[in-house]
């Protein structure tokens, strides 16, 4: 064969590889299970499970790591080839594509009104094994009972004592949603392959795990082999690279992608946030992309004080924080607008505040009436309120730009009603932005994708909406561990109080040695609370069991605002009432830390410790989804610090719903981003946000079986009974219509409508062959349709048909899926 022909063939093969495959990491090298205790030898990992399958070599897999990597376990599947020592069943995690997690014994997934969790049904013998490459492990648990008991062994060693905190409070478990409390199981291990066995002694509940990698302040990338366009890429040794590229100098953070080059070195590409933000009509999302979209009803779990159960026009106070512990929605005197069916500001002084992580925000809005000369204001991050975009109402549903170019981190947006007599803005959705993903060189094998937070700037102003720069906020209603002391009031969370509390909620106690604790990866924090004359003046603050002092942490810098005081490791909250006060501490060594706030005075009238949020100074963050499964929109597993694992483990591109028995409905564009629709597993039904009190649940599916729809000759004719009835919320409608094969030359239209009248009104979706009054040949057979409808209240859906020159008959059948 001539060299020219060989070149041509090589080019064709290269083009085929590029078009038909994706870059991937070679995982053919395996680790084998061994019963040998202690740090496993090269090529092995510890396990006591009989028939334990091999796993990829996780020490040489091109995986990038920094800090804490959270893994949520939403579902488990029984294995038929692995067993416990006494024949117990073994389960794998549905989203574990590497086989690193096993549950042995009587495990099940419980589906309360919140997110699912794993529950051990047999105390004493049930256990789980987690194999990982790192330096430690946390369990993400719902420990809402002081009697819970779990014990761990590392690599088959001696079992330790109960690692669950004693005397733990039922807060926030009593609020009926996922707690996601990180509790340390093992730490201080040598970086390497480890297996931690966690035995349930008494009532263990698991949401997931956090893998710790805290040996370095830099991003580490494991050695390994990958392929791109038929070319082999090799990283021969563990790499340590700066998580923030040297070229990012503006201090506002941005998006970073790390990749492996052909020569075996690591490269990075980034999109930096601009030096200053822009608002309203000046907002420019050119260098940003949508990262998440929320409907306001997603902020709830069926509680009477959250947004999922709102109904009617009566003003009410509501608050809720999503499963990530950060995204919050607070409404003061809000209601449902009768004109739009969406959340609205009910009276003068009403406001709604959303807290989000990103660089920008838009709203989908629709005013309740036209005209008028009403006054509303908005603010970002507690800045001086500015006039809203319009004084006259506009009933058109539209996307409204709010802000772009914010430093990456947590931000607040507040919309307030000043004086209004004619109209009120109603909000359909919140659209969150992050920096756009940078373009990579052609010869670049992507391994990690994340956001660098903006440089930390401490907040100095008390207020419900103020926040520092470069922070990841955590609500008092999620993740924090509360332990009761002696005397006084045990830990509790207030009723929803948006007018005076950040996030609408406050955790409080007055007992001696009652404490709140949180584990994070970072260099500091900003604690937010309300000062008052009934607060404690003696709150001992420790980090990693040491008093928070310069003597213990040489780089420590602290500050207070809003009447609080801090000295020699003691926080004083006793002062005149100031909402949104705070205490910040920075300069800790970058790493894994546990901060504790301990009320250290004998219980009395002025010994209350209160917390509303804890804002973490952390270097990187990524909004994550669950690999292989449709993501929970309202339960996205964002950890204290995380990056997106960009590696692929197969050369064949897979659909996102590649797990057995799962259907992916994440395909409909609604105002730009792909919106969560639900996750259906035939064995357990719909998995998502459910509530008996709410109008329905995300992922709910309604079907309408075959119905005959007859079209008039030159006129619309409606069927007399509804196909189905949609309750309040956003719905996607899919279906099929099959024409009568006669009179094939006539144009035909079929319409789904919100009413059963014999006219063209109430259109949701129309499909067919010709517009009314414009005859065209029809095509016999099956016609598919897809539509979207936002139901304000319970709405029957009817079928209508139109025959251009003659009557005809068709069959319509399909289903509707609730988006929100």
């Amino acid at each position: 064969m001539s060299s020219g022909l060989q070149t041509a063939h090589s080019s064709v093969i290269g083009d085929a590889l590029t078009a038909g495959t994706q870059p991937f990491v070679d995982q053919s090298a395996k680790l084998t299970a061994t019963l040998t205790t202690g740090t496993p030898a090269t090529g092995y990992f510890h396990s006591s499970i009989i028939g334990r399958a091999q796993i990829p070599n996780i020490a040489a897999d091109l995986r990038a790591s920094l800090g804490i990597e959270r893994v949520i376990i939403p579902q488990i599947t029984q294995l038929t080839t692995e067993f416990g020592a006494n024949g117990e069943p073994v389960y794998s995690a549905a989203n574990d594509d590497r086989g690193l997690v096993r549950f042995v014994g009587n495990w099940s997934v419980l589906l309360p009104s919140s997110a699912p969790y794993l529950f051990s049904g047999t105390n004493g013998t049930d256990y789980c094994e987690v194999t990982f490459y790192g330096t430690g492990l946390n369990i993400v648990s719902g420990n809402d009972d002081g009697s819970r008991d779990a014990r761990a062994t590392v690599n088959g060693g001696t079992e330790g004592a109960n690692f669950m905190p004693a005397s733990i409070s039922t807060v926030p478990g009593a609020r009926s949603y996922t707690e996601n409390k990180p509790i340390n199981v093992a730490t201080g291990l040598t970086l390497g392959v480890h297996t931690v066995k966690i035995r349930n002694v008494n009532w263990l509940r698991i949401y997931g795990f956090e893998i710790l990698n805290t040996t370095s302040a830099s991003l580490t990338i494991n050695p390994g082999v990958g392929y791109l366009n038929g070319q082999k890429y090799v990283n021969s040794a563990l790499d340590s690279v700066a998580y923030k590229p040297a070229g990012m100098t503006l201090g506002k953070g941005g998006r970073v992608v790390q990749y492996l080059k052909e020569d075996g070195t690591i490269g990075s590409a980034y999109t930096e946030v601009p030096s200053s933000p822009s608002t309203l009509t000046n907002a420019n999302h050119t260098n940003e992309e949508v990262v998440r979209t929320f409907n306001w009803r997603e902020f709830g779990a069926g509680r009477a004080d959250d947004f999922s159960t709102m109904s009617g026009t009566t003003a009410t106070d509501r608050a809720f924080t999503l499963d990530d512990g950060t995204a919050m929605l607070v409404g003061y005197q809000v209601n449902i607008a009768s004109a739009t069916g969406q959340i609205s500001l009910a009276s003068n002084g009403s406001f709604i505040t959303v807290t989000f992580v990103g660089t920008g925000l838009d709203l989908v809005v629709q005013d309740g009436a036209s005209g008028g000369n009403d006054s509303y204001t908005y603010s970002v991050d507690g800045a001086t309120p500015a006039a809203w975009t319009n004084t006259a109402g506009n009933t058109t549903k539209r996307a409204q730009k709010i802000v772009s170019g914010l430093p990456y981190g947590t931000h607040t947006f507040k919309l307030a009603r000043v004086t209004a007599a004619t109209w009120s803005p109603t909000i359909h959705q919140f659209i969150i932005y992050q920096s756009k993903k940078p373009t990579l060189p052609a010869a670049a094998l992507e391994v990690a994708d994340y956001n660098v937070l903006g440089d930390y700037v401490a907040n100095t102003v008390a207020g419900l909406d103020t926040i520092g720069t470069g922070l990841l906020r955590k609500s008092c209603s999620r993740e924090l561990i509360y332990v009761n002391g002696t005397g006084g009031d045990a830990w509790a969370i207030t009723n929803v109080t948006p007018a005076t509390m950040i996030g609408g909620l406050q955790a409080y106690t007055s007992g001696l040695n009652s404490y709140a604790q949180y584990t994070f990866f970072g260099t500091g924090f900003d604690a937010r609370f309300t000062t008052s004359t009934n607060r404690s003046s003696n709150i001992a603050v420790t980090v990693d069991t040491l008093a928070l002092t310069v003597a213990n942490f040489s780089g420590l810098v602290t500050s207070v605002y809003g009447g609080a005081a801090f000295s020699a490791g003691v926080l004083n909250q006793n002062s005149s009432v100031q909402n949104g006060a705070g205490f910040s501490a920075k300069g800790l060594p970058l790493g894994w830390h546990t901060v504790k706030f301990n009320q250290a005075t004998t219980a009395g009238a002025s010994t209350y410790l209160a917390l509303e949020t804890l804002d973490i100074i952390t270097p990187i963050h990524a909004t994550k989804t669950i690999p292989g499964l449709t993501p929970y929109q309202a339960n996205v597993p964002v950890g204290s610090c995380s990056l997106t694992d960009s590696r692929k483990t197969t050369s064949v591109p897979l659909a996102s719903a590649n797990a057995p028995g799962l259907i992916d409905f994440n395909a409909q564009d609604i105002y730009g981003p792909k919106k969560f629709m639900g996750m259906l597993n035939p064995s357990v039904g719909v998995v998502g946000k459910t509530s008996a009190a709410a109008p329905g649940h995300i992922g709910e599916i309604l079907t309408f079986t075959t119905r005959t729809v007859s079209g008039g000759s030159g006129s619309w004719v409606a069927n007399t009974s509804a196909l189905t009835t949609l309750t309040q919320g956003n719905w996607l409608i899919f279906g099929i219509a099959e024409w009568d094969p006669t009179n094939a030359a006539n144009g035909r239209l079929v319409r789904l409508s919100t009413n059963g009248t014999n006219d063209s009104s109430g259109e949701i979706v129309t499909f067919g062959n010709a517009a009314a009054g414009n005859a065209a040949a029809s095509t016999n057979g099956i016609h598919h349709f897809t539509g979207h409808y936002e139901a304000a209240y319970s709405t029957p859906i009817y079928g209508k048909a139109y025959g251009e020159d003659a009557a005809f008959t068709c069959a319509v059948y399909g289903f509707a899926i609730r988006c929100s």
Side-chain angles (χ1 to χ4, degrees), residues 385-426:
W388 186 233
T389 57
N390 54 299
T391 57
N394 179 354
T395 58
T396 301
K397 184 178 177 181
R398 62 200 184 275
Q400 172 63 59
K401 289 183 178 180
I402 300 299
V403 64
S404 65
L406 293 169
Y408 190 87
T410 305
H411 300 281
T412 65
F413 168 78
K414 179 179 181 179
L415 180 62
R417 176 168 168 168
V418 182
T419 56
T422 304
W423 60 276
S424 176
T426 69

Side-chain angles (χ1 to χ4, degrees), residues 226-290:
Y227 292 89
L228 172 63
N229 298 337
Q231 299 296 315
K232 186 176 183 179
Y233 288 64
V234 178
N235 187 33
S236 58
L238 182 70
D239 268 312
S240 181
V241 299
Y243 64 83
K244 181 178 180 179
M248 295 183 69
T249 58
L250 297 180
K252 308 298 182 181
R255 185 85 168 269
V256 177
V257 174
Q258 301 283 353
Y259 58 88
L260 181 63
K261 302 178 186 178
E262 284 184 291
D263 63 4
T265 60
I266 302 298
S268 62
Y270 60 88
T271 301
E272 192 166 14
V273 176
S275 57
S276 59
S278 301
T279 58
L280 299 185
T281 56
N282 294 321
N284 184 347
H285 300 301
T286 302
N287 289 319
E288 296 176 328
E289 64 185 34
V290 173

